[in-house]
Amino acid sequence: MTPLPAAVALAALLALAAAAQAQAADLLSGSYRPAGEPAAPDMPAPLRIEANSAGWTAWFDGQPQPMQEMGWAGLAKLFPGVAGGHEIQCGATGRLVFCHVPRGTPLPESDAVSSTGYFTADANGGVYELERLP
C-alpha cells in the first residue's frame, strides 16, 4: 500500500475535524420535557429543537419558532462571569431562550442550579429546567 502524500492526509484530517466540530457544535437539538415530569403516553414532547441552516427551529406546543444562536455578549448577560468555552450554548426565539449548560451551572434569575444541563426561560421571566428525552 502506498502512503498518502502529506497534503492529502492533512486535508483528510482537516475534513474529519471540521465534520466532528460541526456535529459537536449543536448541543441543543432534541426533544425535551419539564424535569421530573412523567412522560405522557402517546403525546409529543412539549419542546423539540431541530437544527437547520439558519440556526434551529423550536417546536413549542406544536408551533414552529425560528431560533438563533445567542452570541457570547448575550450569554454574558445570562451567565455573568462565565467565559466562552464552557459548553454553554443558547438559542433564542421571540418567546423563549433555551440553553444547554454544564450540570451545576446556576440558572439565571433563579436560586437554582441545573441538574439536567437543559433549561428554558420565557419572556415573562419564568425559568424551567428540562430533561432531554431519549
Side-chain angles (χ1 to χ4, degrees):
M1 184 174 202
T2 307
L4 291 174
V8 172
L10 179 59
L13 286 173
L14 289 174
L16 286 173
Q21 184 177 13
Q23 287 178 334
D26 180 13
L27 301 174
L28 304 182
S29 290
S31 296
Y32 303 88
R33 69 173 177 230
E37 242 182 54
D42 300 325
M43 293 295 293
L47 177 64
R48 188 176 83 234
I49 308 294
E50 296 176 356
N52 60 44
S53 61
W56 298 271
T57 299
W59 293 84
F60 183 70
D61 289 335
Q63 300 297 311
Q65 297 284 317
M67 188 167 76
Q68 300 295 314
E69 185 162 14
M70 292 179 67
W72 279 110
L75 293 175
K77 291 178 186 175
L78 283 176
F79 306 101
V82 174
H86 283 84
E87 293 187 34
I88 294 175
Q89 186 174 45
C90 295
T93 73
R95 297 177 57 191
L96 62 89
V97 171
F98 175 72
C99 294
H100 169 273
V101 297
R103 290 182 174 149
T105 300
L107 298 178
E109 305 297 321
S110 171
D111 292 331
V113 297
S114 178
S115 62
T116 66
Y118 299 96
F119 75 90
T120 188
D122 63 24
N124 298 324
V127 177
Y128 309 95
E129 186 153 28
L130 302 172
E131 57 188 357
R132 190 177 196 154
L133 299 174

